[in-house]
Amino acid sequence: MKKILITGGAGYIGSHTAVELINAGFDPIVLDDLSNSDEKVLDRLEEISGRKLTFYKGDCNDRILLDQISFEHELAGVIHFAAFKAVGESTQFPLKYYKNNLGSLLVLLEFMKDQGIKDLVFSSSCTVYGQPDQLPVTESTPRKEAESPYGNTKKVCEDILVDYVKSKPGIRVISLRYFNPVGAHPSSKIGELPLGVPNNLVPYITQTAAGIRKKLTVFGDDYDTPDGTCIRDFIHVMDLADAHVKAFSFLNHQEMDYYDVFNVGTGKGNTVLEVIQAFEKVNDLKLNYEIGPRREGDIEKIWADTKKINEELGWYSKYSLEDSMRDSWNWQKTLGN
């Protein structure tokens, strides 16, 4: 059974990926400093999978800890989720974001080289596209100047990986450019756990429905879209987790010194109001929301062309927007008010 190190493995996407790795016959080794997650997630993962996961509490910038993990486990590869990810916070503390997000990747690459670990799946983002000139975006769509230090760290990390693989270090790398992850595990045992006021739309929707937030503000209704609100590609977290399993399995069959990028989305855009309406319909609820002014830094519309990942990795999204809204609400109800 191949062992895979998951940095940030107790987080939202990492925890769901751990479940799918187990289902695919892999043995995930979770590394997380719990700065943006909860140790209870590990118990939930055990309940879902029927097995206890190996967990290390720590920072993936800690080379001594990484070497300890490699000494205790023969690692077949790494899936790298761990990063600071709040766009707004990154504009206030850019050095914190550059030091952590770039530094951790550099430490990880040196670790992999020294330990002879060949395969890496990197968590990138559709933020590298900015506001695209043409839609949908393909992997060859030009990247634009980032709207935030967070977005720029993803762009620079991709550049680091390209340059490193060109130097022929003997590793294989895939960068997955996610669109907007939503939803939760169908068991309602794990899901998104935002700390404080949510930055993302769907947790704000569910917290409003639960009465934690008084109302939801929709930022702008005068965009050039069917209903005037922004358009995004909302991908269920279980589909996203499955994409990581497909990507890792795909790497095993490539030549050394391999690098490529893949979009991970549904291939369809939905407006903010469509998301709200889907939530209300599938859960038979009415949300308290209002239209507010545009929010600085928001792009108007973006969604993915998924032809490349469909054809080369054999991955397709399976969950609908309604599935995502149902699973998100079921998860929120387990958290209470």
Side-chain angles (χ1 to χ4, degrees):
M1 187 181 293
K2 291 184 177 179
K3 296 185 176 184
I4 303 174
L5 177 64
I6 311 180
T7 70
Y12 178 39
I13 304 170
S15 60
H16 288 79
T17 300
V19 171
E20 290 306 285
L21 284 169
I22 292 170
N23 291 340
F26 293 102
D27 184 7
I29 308 297
V30 175
L31 171 62
D32 202 302
D33 66 1
L34 303 178
S35 62
N36 198 36
S37 53
D38 192 318
E39 197 163 0
K40 293 177 183 176
V41 168
L42 299 166
D43 296 329
R44 299 290 187 92
L45 290 175
E46 184 176 351
E47 291 174 20
I48 294 169
S49 65
R51 50 167 291 190
K52 190 174 184 64
L53 275 71
T54 303
F55 171 65
Y56 291 85
K57 182 180 179 181
D59 191 326
C60 57
N61 285 287
D62 184 347
R63 177 59 193 269
I64 294 175
L65 177 57
L66 290 174
D67 288 337
Q68 177 190 341
I69 295 171
S70 182
F71 178 77
E72 295 175 356
H73 304 276
E74 184 177 347
L75 299 175
V78 179
I79 300 179
H80 184 40
F81 292 106
F84 294 148
K85 63 177 185 176
V87 171
E89 183 188 56
S90 76
T91 64
Q92 296 177 301
F93 306 102
L95 296 185
K96 172 183 175 182
Y97 273 67
Y98 284 113
K99 182 177 181 180
N100 183 70
N101 293 7
L102 303 186
S104 63
L105 178 63
L106 295 174
V107 170
L108 199 58
L109 290 173
E110 290 177 345
F111 159 72
M112 290 179 65
K113 182 179 181 180
D114 292 346
Q115 297 293 344
I117 301 167
K118 306 299 184 185
D119 295 327
L120 171 66
V121 179
F122 175 69
S123 167
S124 191
S125 167
C126 69
T127 58
V128 300
Y129 296 119
Q131 177 59 67
D133 296 321
Q134 292 185 319
L135 289 165
V137 292
T138 71
E139 288 80 359
S140 59
T141 295
R143 299 181 310 164
K144 291 194 172 184
E145 184 175 347
E147 299 287 340
S148 68
Y150 162 74
N152 201 38
T153 65
K154 292 299 183 183
K155 190 176 176 183
V156 175
C157 282
E158 284 191 3
D159 292 340
I160 289 170
L161 290 168
V162 169
D163 289 342
Y164 186 56
V165 171
K166 282 181 180 177
S167 74
K168 299 191 179 301
I171 69 169
R172 301 173 287 220
V173 182
I174 283 178
S175 291
L176 295 180
R177 292 174 177 168
Y178 316 160
F179 282 69
N180 289 66
V182 291
H185 194 272
S187 69
S188 302
K189 293 184 182 296
I190 55 173
E192 190 168 5
L193 269 174
L195 299 178
V197 179
N199 291 304
N200 298 330
L201 172 63
V202 175
Y204 213 108
I205 286 175
T206 60
Q207 289 191 10
T208 302
I212 299 170
R213 309 293 162 194
K214 290 183 178 180
K215 61 185 173 184
L216 168 72
T217 299
V218 176
F219 297 109
D221 66 348
D222 57 350
Y223 290 97
D224 182 21
T225 63
D227 60 26
T229 62
C230 292
I231 293 177
R232 298 288 184 271
D233 189 334
F234 296 93
I235 172 88
H236 196 293
V237 67
M238 293 300 295
D239 280 332
L240 184 51
D242 181 52
H244 286 82
V245 177
K246 293 285 198 305
F248 191 86
S249 299
F250 180 81
L251 283 177
N252 288 186
H253 303 290
Q254 305 312 304
E255 297 294 328
M256 286 302 174
D257 307 313
Y258 171 90
Y259 179 80
D260 210 346
V261 298
F262 293 90
N263 287 336
V264 190
T266 64
K268 177 185 177 184
N270 288 103
T271 69
V272 173
L273 286 181
E274 285 174 341
V275 174
I276 290 172
Q277 291 159 4
F279 180 86
E280 290 180 327
K281 180 179 178 181
V282 76
N283 296 308
D284 194 24
L285 290 168
K286 292 299 291 183
L287 277 175
N288 181 25
Y289 69 91
E290 66 177 7
I291 305 298
R294 292 187 181 193
R295 182 173 56 181
E296 186 178 357
D298 277 348
I299 63 170
E300 183 172 87
K301 48 192 170 185
I302 188 170
W303 64 91
D305 183 316
T306 61
K307 182 178 180 181
K308 183 177 178 182
I309 194 171
N310 296 158
E311 294 182 351
E312 296 189 26
L313 269 61
W315 175 90
Y316 296 84
S317 62
K318 301 170 185 174
Y319 291 80
S320 67
L321 180 61
E322 289 72 18
D323 293 333
S324 297
M325 296 303 101
R326 179 199 62 230
D327 293 341
S328 294
W329 179 232
N330 286 339
W331 162 243
Q332 178 65 57
K333 287 188 289 187
T334 71
L335 302 175
N337 296 341

